[in-house]
Amino acid sequence: MRLHRMAVTAFGPFAGTETVDFDALADAGLFLFTGATGAGKTSILDAVCFALYGQVPGTRAGARGLRSDHAPDAVAPEVRLEVTLRGRRLRLTRSPQWERPRQRGAGTVTRHAKVLLEELTGSSWSTLSTRLDETGDLVGRLLGLRLAQFCQVVLLPQNQFAEFLRADAEKRRELLESLFDTRRFADVERWLVAARKDAFQALADVDARLDRVVARVAEAAGEERPDDLAPETATAWVAGLLALAGQQHADAQAAVQLAGVQHDVVVEQLEAATLVAESLSRRRALVSRLAELESAAPSLHAAAAELAGARAVAPLVPMVTEVARVQVELDAARAAVAAVGAVVSRALPLTGTGPDHTMPPPAALTALARDRRGEAAGLRALARDEAEADRLAAATDDIERRAVDLDDRAHQLQAHLDSAPARRSALEAARDAGASAAAAVPGAEAAVAAASGRLAAAVRRDELRVAQASSADAVREAVDRALGAREDWLRLRQARLDGMAAELAAGLHDGAPCPVCGSGEHPTPAAPGPEPVSRDDENTAEAAVRGAEALLTRARDGLAVLDADLAAATATAGGDEAVAAVRTEHDRAVDELARTLDLAADRDRDAAALAAFGEQHETWLRERVALDSAARALRQRAGDERGRLAALRSTLDAARGDDLSIAARALRLVGAADDLEALGRQVETAERLDREVARALSRAQDAAGERGVGSLEQVLQDHRAEPDLAELEHALRRHEAELAAVHGQLCEPVLAALESSPSPDFDALRAEAQAGDALRTEASLTLGASTARAAALTRLAAALRGILTERAPVADRYRTVDALARLAEGKSADNRLRMSLSGYVLAARLEQVAVAASERLLRMSSQRYQLVHTAEGATGRTRGGLLLRVLDAWTGVERDPATLSGGESFCASLALALGLADVVTAEAGGTLLETLFVDEGFGSLDEEALDEVMGVLDELRDGGRTVGLVSHVADLRQRVPVQLQVVKARDGSHVRQ
């Protein structure tokens, strides 16, 4: 990298345009940046960084905007830098984001960051890119350095390297990580940690499955799982359980066979005893039945007598039944009379029974009903007064509510009157704002017109750019067509010239002179070629050339017109600002105009509103007085109505009695009259049924006397229904038939032979059979359980062997990955330095830096000091491998860099910065950095140390580099004649070279 020329405008402390000719400074090889504190020496370096990367280094990046506070408002900040990167001469022109004042009206417009990247090809500059990301990518690839690396290896900030020299391992690691890319090693560390996590999870999954299988084995075997059971001993434990289950299964099979034989013998004995017992039981049942039949003979004789009596009273039963039916109806009618009488007695106690508890006659009940209906008719007239009382109460309530509403409206009007002064002030402020807006309308309209013009020009500019590109393509096509037509014409012309002899020969005639030689004889005239070209062919091709050139001329003229129109549209649009940004500015201007017009339009309305508010205020005062008067009148009227209502309700309460209302009392009296009439009808029905009962009873008694029956009760006692009579006859016949059948069965030979045989001992046989069956069932259950246990253990043993086979490689992989991950993290006992993999790489880079720095530090310290990289182990929470020591050749002792004096620390820091620059440059691909800057720190050196340092810097210059020293030390101004002076003033800093 070599810097050639830089111009900064309105950047940092520079108000105007300041130019730095690095080529002129490079002729001396060593030059000095000098100037007062705060003049802007470091800002020159910031401008270099901004031109290359679009950013400034360190804490200055976000401190404030990059535009100069001294520059005029309309001047755009810009940095233009010419630089050679890997043999390519480039020119970068950058402008940061800044706020430009509006051309019309107040406020600012945001101008976004821009860049123009050009390359010198021949004697002209050609555009490579205008995109920020594309330019940054190209410059980064050519430099091979990030911004942080560039600031460390090109600008050499000494204060940071002094801190780096004395820093602990962790802070030193932060700087090294910013300079050296160790991401791939950190990725390896993270990959190993993730792989260890995955391997651990895989092993945990296998162990979980193993635990589940072992738990199922213990459950199937009915054994407790040993506490010390490990995966290696699980197979032997399961094999022992499987052998025990096999022995238990064989024992259970033998027990089942023995229990089966014993059970079969007992079952045969029980079946034989059962046949004998059944025959004995049948004989005993027949003997018992015979005794029962013989003992039932007296009851059958009584049944025969009952059958005869029932047939004698059968003709009297219908008469007795009729008496009973009429009696039932009479009882029902009397019950109804009692029920209705009870209801009437509860409703109207005066209509109850007399002193002798007899029911009044129907005529008396009818007279009482008429009295009640007359009283109800009189109450209906008072019901209308009751409705009038309710209406009067509602009207009185409404009057009182209207009085309350008037009071509320009066309070609201008073609230309006109380807030009137504040409302009047707001209306006056709105009127004044409208007047101000009306005065600002012309300016806002002018701003909208200007913005509309810029927007139309920006849209036209983009359209013209598209048309320009199309026209340029048309020009190129026209050039190609013109060149092609000319080539065709020249080819035809040459072909015609080549065939001119044959063309002349075609016009020769015998005796006519030859136009070439003048001879009248033509012995061997030239013959035409295979594709002869005539004059017409040549003329046609020439005309095509003229037509193509005419089209080319018109295309070029059209392109020139488009170029002119594009330049005019670009100028009107104010540059290359995007249409969206211009439209945004236009929209803001339109919005501002609309807001101003709205305020101005409201001016007259606000003035009218203020006048109307004064009139409304007077109206409120009048309404308040009127409302108070109306409310007092309504309250007086409500009091009068309340008096009338009290008198009317006193009369109604006396007429209503204990009922809820007059209408309810009238309704109750009508209901009582209905009940009295119904009671009269029920009394008449009961008297009629009483007469019918007497007549039916007389007829039945006369018929019973004629048939010799003593009473009607005797008829009811002897009466039997026809089904009962049929059942008595059937029972008599069945008894006779069953008695004969029992005598016949007892005479059978088998039953007669068992008359003296004893009964078998069934209890003993059943107990023996139950015991044998229980023994066989128990043996079968034991066999089933042992079979299931053996099968389950066999299946689980196979599953256990499969899981253990699967676990072995998973466990091996986890142990391997865990060891590698801990080693890469620096947590393994084998990693004595407790260094991570990325830390190890950084330690190697630091060792390279120490070697490169020591070469220069030895020369700057008269062969006394050199930097030594120490790979000591970690202490406490600190990782090892990133420690630096200073070897003192005078004492042979390694010292802490913190023990160096100020000047010695500067020399060590400078040597460390140069060494680090060499290593970073080598890692970046060997990019040649022909320009370096050393920023401050020379004031701590004595004269001899300064000589040594200047000697080292001269060696850098002898190697082809240009070294710039940034310092205000007076001695350096004497030693370095070529200087770049930065002078500060009230109107901004200036550069003198």
Side-chain angles (χ1 to χ4, degrees), residues 186-202 813-814 817-818 821 825:
D187 291 342
V188 170
E189 294 178 21
R190 287 191 292 271
W191 181 87
L192 286 173
V193 171
R196 176 177 60 187
K197 182 178 179 181
D198 294 341
F200 175 78
Q201 185 60 46
R813 183 175 186 277
Y814 171 69
V817 173
D818 180 60
E825 290 178 306

Side-chain angles (χ1 to χ4, degrees), residues 910-921:
L910 179 60
L912 187 61
L914 295 173
L916 190 60
D918 291 341
V919 175
V920 172
T921 301

Side-chain angles (χ1 to χ4, degrees), residues 188-189 191-193 195-197 199-200 810-832 835-837:
V188 170
E189 294 178 21
W191 181 87
L192 286 173
V193 171
R196 176 177 60 187
K197 182 178 179 181
F200 175 78
V810 175
D812 291 341
R813 183 175 186 277
Y814 171 69
R815 285 192 291 271
T816 302
V817 173
D818 180 60
L820 287 175
R822 292 176 62 81
L823 186 64
E825 290 178 306
K827 298 178 181 179
S828 173
D830 296 333
N831 191 333
R832 295 178 294 101
M835 293 173 60
S836 64
L837 180 60

Side-chain angles (χ1 to χ4, degrees), residues 341-473:
V343 171
V344 172
S345 297
R346 287 194 298 270
L348 298 172
L350 296 177
T351 64
T353 59
D356 56 353
H357 300 288
T358 59
M359 184 63 61
L365 294 173
T366 302
L368 289 173
R370 283 196 302 271
D371 295 341
R372 298 298 177 265
R373 292 187 188 279
E375 185 179 356
L379 290 174
R380 289 192 185 95
L382 290 176
R384 290 189 294 271
D385 293 338
E386 190 174 38
E388 175 63 19
D390 293 339
R391 186 199 62 76
L392 185 60
T396 305
D397 292 340
D398 182 64
I399 293 172
E400 291 178 346
R401 283 194 299 271
R402 287 165 56 193
V404 172
D405 291 340
L406 291 176
D407 289 337
D408 292 340
R409 290 177 57 191
H411 290 310
Q412 293 174 1
L413 286 175
Q414 185 61 44
H416 288 314
L417 291 172
D418 294 340
S419 62
R423 175 61 177 163
R424 187 186 302 277
S425 299
L427 290 174
E428 291 173 349
R431 180 196 59 190
D432 296 341
S436 300
V441 167
E445 291 176 343
V448 170
S452 300
R454 289 192 65 229
L455 178 59
V459 173
R460 177 64 176 162
R461 176 198 64 202
D462 292 350
E463 294 174 349
L464 288 173
R465 282 178 176 169
V466 176
Q468 183 193 42
S470 177
S471 180
D473 293 339

Side-chain angles (χ1 to χ4, degrees), residues 578-903:
V579 173
V582 178
R583 181 173 284 107
T584 301
E585 181 180 353
H586 172 265
D587 293 342
R588 282 199 293 266
V590 171
D591 293 342
E592 180 63 23
L593 176 59
R595 188 185 67 81
T596 304
L597 289 174
D598 290 342
L599 290 175
D602 294 341
R603 177 185 57 179
D604 296 337
R605 185 195 64 189
D606 293 337
L610 182 60
F613 180 77
E615 297 175 358
Q616 189 177 25
H617 185 267
E618 296 297 329
T619 302
W620 288 343
L621 290 173
R622 289 193 297 272
E623 287 183 357
R624 173 61 192 275
V625 174
L627 288 173
D628 289 341
S629 176
R632 285 194 299 273
L634 287 175
R635 282 193 288 271
Q636 179 63 36
R637 181 181 171 188
D640 297 341
E641 294 295 331
R642 286 292 180 191
R644 288 180 54 205
L645 178 62
L648 181 59
R649 281 189 170 171
S650 176
T651 302
L652 292 174
D653 290 343
R656 183 170 52 246
D658 295 333
D659 291 305
L660 295 176
S661 64
I662 299 296
R665 182 175 180 84
L667 183 62
R668 181 175 64 80
L669 292 174
V670 171
D674 293 340
D675 292 339
L676 288 170
E677 292 175 352
L679 180 61
R681 290 192 295 272
Q682 291 292 341
V683 169
E684 290 178 355
T685 300
E687 290 176 350
R688 177 181 58 78
L689 289 175
D690 190 33
R691 292 191 294 271
E692 290 181 1
V693 167
R695 288 194 295 269
L697 182 60
S698 176
R699 288 194 301 270
Q701 289 174 348
D702 293 343
E706 294 176 357
R707 295 189 66 86
V709 178
S711 64
L712 297 181
E713 288 80 6
Q714 183 66 38
V715 173
L716 295 176
Q717 291 176 2
D718 293 344
H719 170 66
R720 297 290 184 271
E722 282 299 326
D724 295 337
L725 295 175
E727 184 177 356
L728 287 174
E729 291 178 354
H730 179 68
L732 292 173
R733 290 194 295 270
R734 185 175 65 246
H735 180 268
E736 294 174 355
E738 188 176 359
L739 184 61
V742 170
H743 280 294
Q745 291 180 22
L746 288 175
C747 292
E748 293 178 1
V750 175
L751 298 182
L754 293 175
E755 185 175 0
S756 59
S757 298
S759 299
D761 190 358
F762 272 101
D763 293 337
L765 290 174
R766 288 194 185 95
E768 187 176 355
Q770 291 176 356
D773 187 60
L775 182 61
R776 186 181 64 172
T777 301
E778 182 179 358
S780 298
L781 293 175
T782 303
L783 177 61
S786 62
T787 302
R789 183 183 302 112
L793 289 176
T794 301
R795 185 176 65 256
L796 293 173
L800 183 68
R801 288 192 296 271
I803 293 175
L804 289 174
T805 302
E806 181 183 350
R807 183 183 186 278
V810 175
D812 291 341
R813 183 175 186 277
Y814 171 69
R815 285 192 291 271
T816 302
V817 173
D818 180 60
L820 287 175
R822 292 176 62 81
L823 186 64
E825 290 178 306
K827 298 178 181 179
S828 173
D830 296 333
N831 191 333
R832 295 178 294 101
L833 297 178
R834 290 183 59 193
M835 293 173 60
S836 64
L837 180 60
S838 57
Y840 178 78
V841 174
L842 292 177
R845 293 289 187 269
L846 183 60
E847 185 175 8
Q848 296 174 354
V849 170
V851 172
S854 294
E855 295 179 1
R856 295 186 174 87
L857 181 57
L858 284 171
R859 291 195 295 274
M860 284 189 284
S861 63
S862 300
Q863 303 299 314
R864 178 179 180 182
Y865 296 119
Q866 61 178 322
L867 293 174
V868 180
H869 167 252
T870 302
E872 295 180 0
T875 58
R877 299 175 59 88
T878 304
R879 302 291 175 88
L882 295 178
L883 299 179
L884 283 176
R885 308 288 287 178
V886 176
L887 177 60
D888 189 345
W890 290 2
T891 62
V893 176
E894 292 184 0
R895 298 164 51 186
D896 191 317
T899 62
L900 297 176
S901 65

Side-chain angles (χ1 to χ4, degrees), residues 245-585:
Q247 182 62 42
Q248 292 174 349
H249 180 263
D251 295 343
Q253 283 181 328
V256 167
Q257 293 176 356
L258 178 60
V261 171
Q262 294 175 352
H263 179 267
D264 293 341
V265 172
V266 175
V267 167
E268 291 177 358
Q269 295 174 356
L270 184 60
E271 289 177 353
T274 301
L275 293 176
V276 173
E278 289 176 353
S279 298
L280 289 172
S281 177
R282 182 184 173 201
R283 188 181 184 283
R284 285 194 296 269
L286 289 173
V287 172
S288 176
R289 184 56 181 164
L290 179 60
E292 291 176 357
L293 291 174
E294 290 175 349
S295 63
S299 62
L300 291 176
H301 295 312
E306 181 181 355
L307 180 61
R311 291 192 183 281
V313 298
L316 299 175
V317 170
M319 295 182 181
V320 176
T321 302
E322 177 63 17
V323 173
R325 182 188 67 78
V326 178
Q327 183 64 45
V328 169
E329 291 182 359
L330 176 61
D331 293 340
R334 288 174 176 172
V337 169
V340 175
V343 171
V344 172
S345 297
R346 287 194 298 270
L348 298 172
L350 296 177
T351 64
T353 59
D356 56 353
H357 300 288
T358 59
M359 184 63 61
L365 294 173
T366 302
L368 289 173
R370 283 196 302 271
D371 295 341
R372 298 298 177 265
R373 292 187 188 279
E375 185 179 356
L379 290 174
R380 289 192 185 95
L382 290 176
R384 290 189 294 271
D385 293 338
E386 190 174 38
E388 175 63 19
D390 293 339
R391 186 199 62 76
L392 185 60
T396 305
D397 292 340
D398 182 64
I399 293 172
E400 291 178 346
R401 283 194 299 271
R402 287 165 56 193
V404 172
D405 291 340
L406 291 176
D407 289 337
D408 292 340
R409 290 177 57 191
H411 290 310
Q412 293 174 1
L413 286 175
Q414 185 61 44
H416 288 314
L417 291 172
D418 294 340
S419 62
R423 175 61 177 163
R424 187 186 302 277
S425 299
L427 290 174
E428 291 173 349
R431 180 196 59 190
D432 296 341
S436 300
V441 167
E445 291 176 343
V448 170
S452 300
R454 289 192 65 229
L455 178 59
V459 173
R460 177 64 176 162
R461 176 198 64 202
D462 292 350
E463 294 174 349
L464 288 173
R465 282 178 176 169
V466 176
Q468 183 193 42
S470 177
S471 180
D473 293 339
V475 168
R476 286 192 291 271
E477 292 177 359
V479 169
D480 294 339
R481 285 196 298 271
L483 292 177
R486 181 169 290 278
E487 289 177 358
D488 293 341
W489 173 61
L490 293 175
R491 178 179 56 77
L492 291 175
R493 183 180 180 84
Q494 185 62 42
R496 183 165 177 259
L497 292 174
D498 294 341
M500 186 61 71
E503 182 179 345
L504 292 174
L508 294 178
H509 301 284
D510 292 338
C514 175
V516 177
C517 63
S519 173
E521 298 179 357
H522 315 294
T524 55
E531 295 181 358
V533 178
S534 66
R535 178 182 295 277
D536 292 338
D537 295 335
E538 182 182 357
N539 292 338
T540 301
E542 186 177 5
V545 170
R546 288 195 298 272
E549 289 179 346
L551 290 175
L552 175 61
T553 300
R554 287 196 295 272
R556 284 175 172 169
D557 292 343
L559 179 61
V561 171
L562 288 174
D563 289 341
D565 292 345
L566 177 60
T570 303
T572 304
D576 294 333
E577 189 172 3
V579 173
V582 178
R583 181 173 284 107
T584 301
E585 181 180 353

Side-chain angles (χ1 to χ4, degrees), residues 87-120:
R88 300 175 64 177
R89 181 72 173 262
L90 304 176
R91 182 168 66 188
L92 293 106
T93 305
R94 286 188 186 268
S95 177
Q97 178 174 311
W98 64 292
E99 298 293 329
R100 180 184 66 79
R102 292 182 180 274
Q103 295 179 353
R104 295 179 178 86
T108 59
V109 177
T110 301
R111 293 299 187 187
H112 298 288
K114 297 188 296 183
V115 65
L116 173 63
L117 176 61
E118 302 170 288
E119 183 174 10
L120 183 63

